Amino acid sequence: MSPATLPSRHSIGEDVYGALLSDLIALRIPPGERMSVDALARHFGVSQTPVRAALIRLEAEGLVAKKFNSGYSAAPMPSGAYFRDTYAMRRLIEPEAAALSAGRMTSAQKKDLARLCSEMEALTKGDTLANYGRFAQLDGQFHALIAGACGNAIIAETLERLYAHMHLFRLRHHTAVAEEAVKEHLLISQAIADGDVEHARSAMQAHIDASCQRMEPFFRVLA
């Protein structure tokens, strides 16, 4: 494994986390592959501390598994049933979260939502494979911001525990997936910015349905 060059972001730990996230989502680290702390530290040219911190974070998000006496490995791909159940849950609660947020979101939160849309759109213009992990992060932040602004802590906590976006982007890498998601996010963001409750609800419902249609052929074949 040749040395990797990490982009400057917030910290070494954040850089290592972002690089590993991108590799896991793009399947450059395939499910089941062992992830040695020592080898990763040498690969990134850092100490073991930020590598361990990144792996612990990725383990909490379900992308990395740790077994006693055998260390870390890339988590198996979730089953098709997991993805079907995830979409069923999202259909039940995310449209309502968007509707509630349209009537409650502050001006600062609306600006943050618009910023996330702009950042995701910019990522679709560059090296989409390299940017895919970052796009998945921003996608998750977009949905988490809406859920967090809806005023219902149970909705926000439920969606946070799913880590749905991280796993979904492992299913398929394709530019069209990101581009289509950006268009749908813009419609949701605009409806919330306008305070249009019903439009926010329907735009989120349409987004989740469209996402399921895009991904279903890929999770259908999973056991």
Side-chain angles (χ1 to χ4, degrees), residues 175-196:
T175 304
V177 171
E179 291 176 344
E180 290 162 7
V182 164
K183 293 175 185 177
E184 293 153 13
H185 287 165
L186 287 170
L187 293 175
I188 296 166
S189 179
Q190 187 60 58
I192 291 174
D194 292 341
D196 190 331

Side-chain angles (χ1 to χ4, degrees), residues 90 143 181 184-185 188 203-211 214:
R90 293 183 67 194
H143 287 271
E184 293 153 13
H185 287 165
I188 296 166
M204 181 64 81
Q205 182 71 61
H207 171 51
I208 294 170
D209 288 343
S211 175
R214 286 192 289 269

Side-chain angles (χ1 to χ4, degrees), residues 24-142:
L24 288 162
I25 288 178
L27 302 183
R28 289 187 290 267
I29 301 176
E33 181 169 305
R34 188 168 180 272
M35 300 174 71
S36 163
V37 173
D38 184 56
L40 288 171
R42 291 197 306 271
H43 173 61
F44 292 126
V46 300
S47 72
Q48 292 188 6
T49 299
V51 173
R52 290 186 187 279
L55 289 171
I56 290 170
R57 183 174 171 186
L58 290 163
E59 182 187 14
E61 294 170 349
L63 294 174
V64 164
K66 185 181 182 183
K67 292 184 179 179
F68 182 69
N69 283 339
S70 62
Y72 293 95
S73 61
M77 188 72 76
S79 67
Y82 167 87
F83 287 109
R84 283 190 290 273
D85 290 348
T86 295
Y87 272 111
M89 173 66 78
R90 293 183 67 194
R91 284 189 177 101
L92 287 173
I93 60 178
E94 285 204 68
E96 185 61 23
L100 291 170
S101 294
R104 299 175 60 92
M105 193 173 281
T106 65
S107 297
Q109 288 172 324
K110 290 175 182 178
K111 288 180 180 178
D112 284 341
L113 203 63
R115 174 185 55 79
L116 288 169
C117 287
S118 295
E119 288 186 27
M120 283 185 278
E121 185 173 19
L123 289 175
T124 66
K125 309 301 182 185
D127 183 346
T128 53
L129 182 59
N131 293 337
Y132 214 52
R134 180 61 179 158
F135 190 95
Q137 280 184 285
L138 295 175
D139 186 72
Q141 290 172 24
F142 176 87

